[in-house]
Amino acid sequence: GLLSLASPEEAPAATPRLDRMAGFFPGTASLVEEIDKRLMVVLRDGRKIMGTLRSFDQFSNLVLESAVERIIISDEYADVPLGLYIVRGENIVLVGTLDEEKEANLPLKRVDAPQIVEAKRLADEAERLRTELSKQLRNDWFKDDDVSNEARQRVAEQPVGRHLAA
């Protein structure tokens, strides 16, 4: 049935779970609290974009001011300036605020943007070559396997006992 309360005094006390959830907004509404804060946004393609959240919409599209792309290669990193940046919501994997204290004490060596961009290009090229080599080895292995299968097929197609007739 329906619960009717005559006065607020008769209302049941709020549960601890509801108290914790006070101020929690599901979906993009929770981004309201992050306006004017520095955020890191991780995208589907693995890029990490950092900037100050200035605006967002119901699709989680974000407008970041003073945005940079953080590129990390082994123990080095650089922030490549992007300026005012719009991030399409469907590409977002993770959004989080930046801890300025931890940011100042990163265990990585900061390098110039051109240096890290070149290191990323070389790392991407090495990965492409590794993938290409792996694919070629796999194709060669299956090709060899196909040859042995063809040989097995020819032997299987010969009449039984033919090799004994000679």
Side-chain angles (χ1 to χ4, degrees):
L2 295 173
L3 174 67
S4 69
L5 300 174
S7 67
E9 293 80 32
E10 295 178 26
T15 64
R17 183 182 179 309
L18 292 176
D19 288 343
R20 282 194 318 268
M21 293 182 67
F24 172 77
F25 302 104
T28 59
S30 61
L31 287 171
V32 168
E33 297 172 0
E34 309 308 327
I35 292 285
D36 296 331
K37 291 184 182 173
R38 294 248 329 137
L39 302 178
M40 175 179 278
V41 181
V42 179
L43 304 180
R44 287 190 328 189
D45 64 2
R47 287 184 294 159
K48 293 166 259 335
I49 309 294
M50 300 172 4
T52 304
L53 181 64
R54 292 299 180 205
S55 184
F56 66 93
D57 65 11
Q58 72 271 25
F59 304 110
S60 296
N61 297 318
L62 307 179
V63 177
L64 299 175
E65 185 178 59
S66 304
V68 296
E69 178 183 356
R70 174 149 299 167
I71 300 174
I72 302 171
I73 304 293
S74 64
D75 63 342
E76 298 179 334
Y77 81 97
D79 293 335
V80 178
L82 302 172
L84 189 64
Y85 204 72
I86 298 173
V87 180
R88 189 172 169 96
E90 68 180 31
N91 292 319
I92 296 173
V93 174
L94 182 74
V95 176
T97 55
L98 286 174
D99 184 336
E100 299 298 332
E101 185 178 314
K102 288 182 181 176
E103 185 73 12
N105 298 314
L106 287 176
L108 302 171
K109 178 183 171 194
R110 186 182 186 105
V111 296
D112 294 332
Q115 185 177 347
I116 204 75
V117 168
E118 178 63 14
K120 182 173 180 5
R121 187 189 68 73
L122 292 172
D124 290 347
E125 178 67 13
E127 180 61 28
R128 186 188 68 74
L129 290 172
R130 252 191 312 276
T131 302
E132 189 177 303
L133 179 61
S134 174
K135 185 177 178 181
Q136 187 63 46
L137 288 172
R138 199 173 26 242
N139 287 341
D140 289 348
W141 184 76
F142 283 125
K143 192 185 307 175
D144 289 344
D145 195 41
D146 290 343
V147 168
S148 61
N149 283 337
E150 288 173 18
R152 280 188 224 120
Q153 186 66 29
R154 277 188 301 231
V155 169
E157 289 173 354
Q158 292 185 3
V160 176
R162 179 170 178 216
H163 61 284
L164 299 176

